[in-house]
Amino acid sequence: MRRRSLLIAVPAGLATLAACGDEGSDSGKASDSASPTDGSSSEAPAPKIVDGPLPAVTAGTKFDEKPTVAKGSGDPSDQLAVKTLIAGGGRTVAEGDYVQANYLGQVWDTAKVFDNSYDRKTPLVIQLAQGSIIDGWRYALTGKKAGSRVQFSVPPTWGYGESGNQNAGIKGTDTLVFVVDLQNTFNAKSSAEGTDVAQDNVDLPKVGTNKDGKAPSIEVPDAEAPTELVANYVIEGDGAEVGAEDSVLVQYKGVLWDGGKEFDSTYGRKALTSFSLQQVVKGWAQGLTGKKVGSRVLIVIPPKLGYGDQPPSGSGIKKDSTLVFSVDILAKM
C-alpha cells in the first residue's frame, strides 16, 4: 500500500455511499512519520503572523521541487513566522477549503526532516479545517494563492502540542519548519474542468455540462434501466487516472432512475466530500477507477452493484433501485 502522510485525517465517506462489510480496509492507516494531519485540534488563540526568523532554503528553490532547508539559527519565534517564497497567481485559499500541495517538514533545532510528500510523488490533499490538520497550517496558508511556495515555522502551541509526536522523533518543545508548494485549492464552488463529451445514447441519462460549481441537471429517460454498470465521461479532464485503491475528492449528485428524485448531493450541503474507493459501493469504485481527475462522470449503478435489497435507512432509496450519479473528480488523494 502507498505510504500515507501523517498530516491527514482519515477521509470520511458519506453514509449513503458506504459499502457494507469493509471494516478490514487499511486505507486509513498512517505512515510512521509525522504529518500536518496528526496534530490534535488546538484551543489556543490565533497566533500572530510574523515575518521571521526562518532558515534559508539552500537547494530545490523552484516551485514543486523538493527543497533543502538549513538548520534554524538561534531561537525561533513563539508565534507563526510565515514567508511567501514564490507568489502564485491562482485562486486564493480560504479556511475550510481543500488544498492540494507538496510539502516538506523538519525540526528547527536539528534540521531533521520528519515528513515530505515529494519522495512519495503524491501531493497531499487536505481540508484546512480545525481537526483535519494542525492549526499552524490553517493559519499560515489561509489567504495564500495557488501556485505559491510558502515557508513557515510552527511552535508546539499550533503544532503537535506538549506531547509532540514520538513516532517521528518530535518533542513537545520542538518548533517545526515547513515548505509548502500550493498546487491547487478546492471549495464548494469547484467543478470539473475539461472537454465536453457527446452524450448520444438516448437510452441513458443526460447530464448538464455547466462548470460554474452549481449542481448539474440530470435528465433520466423514459426507458428501461440498464442492468450493467454505466460509467461515461460527460466532461473529460486531463489529470491523472484514478486507481482502484485511491481516495478521491468529489462533487456529486445522485438521483433515482425511477422518477429522477434526488436523494443525495454535495451541492445541497455546500461541502465537498472525500472517500476511499475501497469504502464505497461497488458501482462507485468500478465506475471511477480509470477515470481522469478533472472529469465529470455519469455513473448508472444497477442494484447488484449498489444497495440491492438493503438500502441505507432514511435515504429515500427503495429496495432494488437503480441509481444515477453525476460525479466531478476534483482530486485524488
mmCIF file with all atom_site columns, all heavy atoms in Angstrom, residues 175-189:
data_model
loop_
_atom_site.group_PDB
_atom_site.id
_atom_site.type_symbol
_atom_site.label_atom_id
_atom_site.label_alt_id
_atom_site.label_comp_id
_atom_site.label_asym_id
_atom_site.label_entity_id
_atom_site.label_seq_id
_atom_site.pdbx_PDB_ins_code
_atom_site.Cartn_x
_atom_site.Cartn_y
_atom_site.Cartn_z
_atom_site.occupancy
_atom_site.B_iso_or_equiv
_atom_site.pdbx_formal_charge
_atom_site.auth_seq_id
_atom_site.auth_comp_id
_atom_site.auth_asym_id
_atom_site.auth_atom_id
_atom_site.pdbx_PDB_model_num
ATOM 1   N N   . THR A 1 175 ? 9.938   23.338 17.653 1.00 0.00 ? 175 THR A N   1
ATOM 2   C CA  . THR A 1 175 ? 9.324   24.159 16.617 1.00 0.00 ? 175 THR A CA  1
ATOM 3   C C   . THR A 1 175 ? 9.611   23.502 15.276 1.00 0.00 ? 175 THR A C   1
ATOM 4   O O   . THR A 1 175 ? 10.719  23.014 15.026 1.00 0.00 ? 175 THR A O   1
ATOM 5   C CB  . THR A 1 175 ? 9.891   25.590 16.644 1.00 0.00 ? 175 THR A CB  1
ATOM 6   O OG1 . THR A 1 175 ? 9.400   26.258 17.815 1.00 0.00 ? 175 THR A OG1 1
ATOM 7   C CG2 . THR A 1 175 ? 9.454   26.384 15.415 1.00 0.00 ? 175 THR A CG2 1
ATOM 8   N N   . LEU A 1 176 ? 8.627   23.483 14.417 1.00 0.00 ? 176 LEU A N   1
ATOM 9   C CA  . LEU A 1 176 ? 8.726   22.806 13.128 1.00 0.00 ? 176 LEU A CA  1
ATOM 10  C C   . LEU A 1 176 ? 8.801   23.833 12.000 1.00 0.00 ? 176 LEU A C   1
ATOM 11  O O   . LEU A 1 176 ? 8.245   24.927 12.110 1.00 0.00 ? 176 LEU A O   1
ATOM 12  C CB  . LEU A 1 176 ? 7.515   21.898 12.922 1.00 0.00 ? 176 LEU A CB  1
ATOM 13  C CG  . LEU A 1 176 ? 7.193   20.957 14.082 1.00 0.00 ? 176 LEU A CG  1
ATOM 14  C CD1 . LEU A 1 176 ? 5.936   20.158 13.780 1.00 0.00 ? 176 LEU A CD1 1
ATOM 15  C CD2 . LEU A 1 176 ? 8.365   20.044 14.388 1.00 0.00 ? 176 LEU A CD2 1
ATOM 16  N N   . VAL A 1 177 ? 9.489   23.460 10.928 1.00 0.00 ? 177 VAL A N   1
ATOM 17  C CA  . VAL A 1 177 ? 9.607   24.312 9.754  1.00 0.00 ? 177 VAL A CA  1
ATOM 18  C C   . VAL A 1 177 ? 9.018   23.564 8.566  1.00 0.00 ? 177 VAL A C   1
ATOM 19  O O   . VAL A 1 177 ? 9.373   22.407 8.319  1.00 0.00 ? 177 VAL A O   1
ATOM 20  C CB  . VAL A 1 177 ? 11.072  24.678 9.465  1.00 0.00 ? 177 VAL A CB  1
ATOM 21  C CG1 . VAL A 1 177 ? 11.166  25.547 8.206  1.00 0.00 ? 177 VAL A CG1 1
ATOM 22  C CG2 . VAL A 1 177 ? 11.692  25.405 10.649 1.00 0.00 ? 177 VAL A CG2 1
ATOM 23  N N   . PHE A 1 178 ? 8.133   24.236 7.840  1.00 0.00 ? 178 PHE A N   1
ATOM 24  C CA  . PHE A 1 178 ? 7.524   23.634 6.655  1.00 0.00 ? 178 PHE A CA  1
ATOM 25  C C   . PHE A 1 178 ? 7.795   24.496 5.426  1.00 0.00 ? 178 PHE A C   1
ATOM 26  O O   . PHE A 1 178 ? 7.824   25.724 5.504  1.00 0.00 ? 178 PHE A O   1
ATOM 27  C CB  . PHE A 1 178 ? 6.002   23.525 6.813  1.00 0.00 ? 178 PHE A CB  1
ATOM 28  C CG  . PHE A 1 178 ? 5.549   22.500 7.812  1.00 0.00 ? 178 PHE A CG  1
ATOM 29  C CD1 . PHE A 1 178 ? 5.236   22.866 9.109  1.00 0.00 ? 178 PHE A CD1 1
ATOM 30  C CD2 . PHE A 1 178 ? 5.427   21.153 7.446  1.00 0.00 ? 178 PHE A CD2 1
ATOM 31  C CE1 . PHE A 1 178 ? 4.809   21.927 10.032 1.00 0.00 ? 178 PHE A CE1 1
ATOM 32  C CE2 . PHE A 1 178 ? 5.003   20.213 8.371  1.00 0.00 ? 178 PHE A CE2 1
ATOM 33  C CZ  . PHE A 1 178 ? 4.697   20.592 9.663  1.00 0.00 ? 178 PHE A CZ  1
ATOM 34  N N   . VAL A 1 179 ? 7.976   23.821 4.295  1.00 0.00 ? 179 VAL A N   1
ATOM 35  C CA  . VAL A 1 179 ? 7.918   24.468 2.987  1.00 0.00 ? 179 VAL A CA  1
ATOM 36  C C   . VAL A 1 179 ? 6.783   23.788 2.237  1.00 0.00 ? 179 VAL A C   1
ATOM 37  O O   . VAL A 1 179 ? 6.758   22.556 2.113  1.00 0.00 ? 179 VAL A O   1
ATOM 38  C CB  . VAL A 1 179 ? 9.237   24.328 2.205  1.00 0.00 ? 179 VAL A CB  1
ATOM 39  C CG1 . VAL A 1 179 ? 9.078   24.896 0.790  1.00 0.00 ? 179 VAL A CG1 1
ATOM 40  C CG2 . VAL A 1 179 ? 10.361  25.056 2.928  1.00 0.00 ? 179 VAL A CG2 1
ATOM 41  N N   . VAL A 1 180 ? 5.829   24.586 1.752  1.00 0.00 ? 180 VAL A N   1
ATOM 42  C CA  . VAL A 1 180 ? 4.614   24.050 1.127  1.00 0.00 ? 180 VAL A CA  1
ATOM 43  C C   . VAL A 1 180 ? 4.445   24.662 -0.257 1.00 0.00 ? 180 VAL A C   1
ATOM 44  O O   . VAL A 1 180 ? 4.451   25.889 -0.406 1.00 0.00 ? 180 VAL A O   1
ATOM 45  C CB  . VAL A 1 180 ? 3.367   24.347 1.988  1.00 0.00 ? 180 VAL A CB  1
ATOM 46  C CG1 . VAL A 1 180 ? 2.104   23.856 1.288  1.00 0.00 ? 180 VAL A CG1 1
ATOM 47  C CG2 . VAL A 1 180 ? 3.500   23.705 3.364  1.00 0.00 ? 180 VAL A CG2 1
ATOM 48  N N   . ASP A 1 181 ? 4.311   23.808 -1.259 1.00 0.00 ? 181 ASP A N   1
ATOM 49  C CA  . ASP A 1 181 ? 4.007   24.241 -2.621 1.00 0.00 ? 181 ASP A CA  1
ATOM 50  C C   . ASP A 1 181 ? 2.519   24.036 -2.871 1.00 0.00 ? 181 ASP A C   1
ATOM 51  O O   . ASP A 1 181 ? 2.054   22.896 -3.020 1.00 0.00 ? 181 ASP A O   1
ATOM 52  C CB  . ASP A 1 181 ? 4.829   23.444 -3.636 1.00 0.00 ? 181 ASP A CB  1
ATOM 53  C CG  . ASP A 1 181 ? 6.298   23.833 -3.630 1.00 0.00 ? 181 ASP A CG  1
ATOM 54  O OD1 . ASP A 1 181 ? 6.591   25.037 -3.475 1.00 0.00 ? 181 ASP A OD1 1
ATOM 55  O OD2 . ASP A 1 181 ? 7.156   22.948 -3.776 1.00 0.00 ? 181 ASP A OD2 1
ATOM 56  N N   . LEU A 1 182 ? 1.760   25.119 -2.901 1.00 0.00 ? 182 LEU A N   1
ATOM 57  C CA  . LEU A 1 182 ? 0.306   25.065 -3.076 1.00 0.00 ? 182 LEU A CA  1
ATOM 58  C C   . LEU A 1 182 ? -0.032  24.869 -4.543 1.00 0.00 ? 182 LEU A C   1
ATOM 59  O O   . LEU A 1 182 ? 0.052   25.802 -5.343 1.00 0.00 ? 182 LEU A O   1
ATOM 60  C CB  . LEU A 1 182 ? -0.329  26.354 -2.570 1.00 0.00 ? 182 LEU A CB  1
ATOM 61  C CG  . LEU A 1 182 ? -0.494  26.521 -1.065 1.00 0.00 ? 182 LEU A CG  1
ATOM 62  C CD1 . LEU A 1 182 ? -0.888  27.951 -0.744 1.00 0.00 ? 182 LEU A CD1 1
ATOM 63  C CD2 . LEU A 1 182 ? -1.529  25.551 -0.533 1.00 0.00 ? 182 LEU A CD2 1
ATOM 64  N N   . GLN A 1 183 ? -0.428  23.673 -4.911 1.00 0.00 ? 183 GLN A N   1
ATOM 65  C CA  . GLN A 1 183 ? -0.742  23.388 -6.309 1.00 0.00 ? 183 GLN A CA  1
ATOM 66  C C   . GLN A 1 183 ? -2.142  23.834 -6.700 1.00 0.00 ? 183 GLN A C   1
ATOM 67  O O   . GLN A 1 183 ? -2.371  24.334 -7.807 1.00 0.00 ? 183 GLN A O   1
ATOM 68  C CB  . GLN A 1 183 ? -0.602  21.885 -6.579 1.00 0.00 ? 183 GLN A CB  1
ATOM 69  C CG  . GLN A 1 183 ? 0.802   21.341 -6.415 1.00 0.00 ? 183 GLN A CG  1
ATOM 70  C CD  . GLN A 1 183 ? 0.846   19.845 -6.678 1.00 0.00 ? 183 GLN A CD  1
ATOM 71  O OE1 . GLN A 1 183 ? -0.182  19.167 -6.680 1.00 0.00 ? 183 GLN A OE1 1
ATOM 72  N NE2 . GLN A 1 183 ? 2.037   19.316 -6.879 1.00 0.00 ? 183 GLN A NE2 1
ATOM 73  N N   . ASN A 1 184 ? -3.098  23.640 -5.779 1.00 0.00 ? 184 ASN A N   1
ATOM 74  C CA  . ASN A 1 184 ? -4.486  23.940 -6.130 1.00 0.00 ? 184 ASN A CA  1
ATOM 75  C C   . ASN A 1 184 ? -5.306  24.097 -4.862 1.00 0.00 ? 184 ASN A C   1
ATOM 76  O O   . ASN A 1 184 ? -4.870  23.695 -3.772 1.00 0.00 ? 184 ASN A O   1
ATOM 77  C CB  . ASN A 1 184 ? -5.076  22.836 -7.003 1.00 0.00 ? 184 ASN A CB  1
ATOM 78  C CG  . ASN A 1 184 ? -6.132  23.350 -7.971 1.00 0.00 ? 184 ASN A CG  1
ATOM 79  O OD1 . ASN A 1 184 ? -6.699  24.430 -7.780 1.00 0.00 ? 184 ASN A OD1 1
ATOM 80  N ND2 . ASN A 1 184 ? -6.405  22.593 -9.025 1.00 0.00 ? 184 ASN A ND2 1
ATOM 81  N N   . THR A 1 185 ? -6.469  24.669 -4.997 1.00 0.00 ? 185 THR A N   1
ATOM 82  C CA  . THR A 1 185 ? -7.397  24.782 -3.881 1.00 0.00 ? 185 THR A CA  1
ATOM 83  C C   . THR A 1 185 ? -8.812  24.513 -4.380 1.00 0.00 ? 185 THR A C   1
ATOM 84  O O   . THR A 1 185 ? -9.144  24.838 -5.530 1.00 0.00 ? 185 THR A O   1
ATOM 85  C CB  . THR A 1 185 ? -7.306  26.169 -3.221 1.00 0.00 ? 185 THR A CB  1
ATOM 86  O OG1 . THR A 1 185 ? -8.218  26.244 -2.118 1.00 0.00 ? 185 THR A OG1 1
ATOM 87  C CG2 . THR A 1 185 ? -7.636  27.281 -4.203 1.00 0.00 ? 185 THR A CG2 1
ATOM 88  N N   . PHE A 1 186 ? -9.627  23.889 -3.536 1.00 0.00 ? 186 PHE A N   1
ATOM 89  C CA  . PHE A 1 186 ? -10.976 23.478 -3.920 1.00 0.00 ? 186 PHE A CA  1
ATOM 90  C C   . PHE A 1 186 ? -11.960 23.886 -2.833 1.00 0.00 ? 186 PHE A C   1
ATOM 91  O O   . PHE A 1 186 ? -11.659 23.810 -1.639 1.00 0.00 ? 186 PHE A O   1
ATOM 92  C CB  . PHE A 1 186 ? -11.055 21.961 -4.105 1.00 0.00 ? 186 PHE A CB  1
ATOM 93  C CG  . PHE A 1 186 ? -10.010 21.387 -5.017 1.00 0.00 ? 186 PHE A CG  1
ATOM 94  C CD1 . PHE A 1 186 ? -8.848  20.841 -4.498 1.00 0.00 ? 186 PHE A CD1 1
ATOM 95  C CD2 . PHE A 1 186 ? -10.179 21.394 -6.393 1.00 0.00 ? 186 PHE A CD2 1
ATOM 96  C CE1 . PHE A 1 186 ? -7.876  20.307 -5.331 1.00 0.00 ? 186 PHE A CE1 1
ATOM 97  C CE2 . PHE A 1 186 ? -9.222  20.860 -7.236 1.00 0.00 ? 186 PHE A CE2 1
ATOM 98  C CZ  . PHE A 1 186 ? -8.066  20.322 -6.702 1.00 0.00 ? 186 PHE A CZ  1
ATOM 99  N N   . ASN A 1 187 ? -13.162 24.273 -3.266 1.00 0.00 ? 187 ASN A N   1
ATOM 100 C CA  . ASN A 1 187 ? -14.225 24.568 -2.315 1.00 0.00 ? 187 ASN A CA  1
ATOM 101 C C   . ASN A 1 187 ? -15.563 24.140 -2.899 1.00 0.00 ? 187 ASN A C   1
ATOM 102 O O   . ASN A 1 187 ? -15.607 23.467 -3.933 1.00 0.00 ? 187 ASN A O   1
ATOM 103 C CB  . ASN A 1 187 ? -14.216 26.059 -1.938 1.00 0.00 ? 187 ASN A CB  1
ATOM 104 C CG  . ASN A 1 187 ? -14.377 26.970 -3.141 1.00 0.00 ? 187 ASN A CG  1
ATOM 105 O OD1 . ASN A 1 187 ? -15.056 26.634 -4.117 1.00 0.00 ? 187 ASN A OD1 1
ATOM 106 N ND2 . ASN A 1 187 ? -13.768 28.143 -3.092 1.00 0.00 ? 187 ASN A ND2 1
ATOM 107 N N   . ALA A 1 188 ? -16.640 24.527 -2.229 1.00 0.00 ? 188 ALA A N   1
ATOM 108 C CA  . ALA A 1 188 ? -17.964 24.057 -2.632 1.00 0.00 ? 188 ALA A CA  1
ATOM 109 C C   . ALA A 1 188 ? -18.388 24.572 -4.004 1.00 0.00 ? 188 ALA A C   1
ATOM 110 O O   . ALA A 1 188 ? -19.385 24.088 -4.559 1.00 0.00 ? 188 ALA A O   1
ATOM 111 C CB  . ALA A 1 188 ? -18.999 24.470 -1.579 1.00 0.00 ? 188 ALA A CB  1
ATOM 112 N N   . LYS A 1 189 ? -17.652 25.524 -4.569 1.00 0.00 ? 189 LYS A N   1
ATOM 113 C CA  . LYS A 1 189 ? -17.968 26.031 -5.900 1.00 0.00 ? 189 LYS A CA  1
ATOM 114 C C   . LYS A 1 189 ? -17.072 25.414 -6.974 1.00 0.00 ? 189 LYS A C   1
ATOM 115 O O   . LYS A 1 189 ? -17.139 25.808 -8.142 1.00 0.00 ? 189 LYS A O   1
ATOM 116 C CB  . LYS A 1 189 ? -17.833 27.557 -5.920 1.00 0.00 ? 189 LYS A CB  1
ATOM 117 C CG  . LYS A 1 189 ? -18.836 28.271 -5.009 1.00 0.00 ? 189 LYS A CG  1
ATOM 118 C CD  . LYS A 1 189 ? -18.691 29.779 -5.097 1.00 0.00 ? 189 LYS A CD  1
ATOM 119 C CE  . LYS A 1 189 ? -19.692 30.478 -4.183 1.00 0.00 ? 189 LYS A CE  1
ATOM 120 N NZ  . LYS A 1 189 ? -19.541 31.960 -4.241 1.00 0.00 ? 189 LYS A NZ  1
#
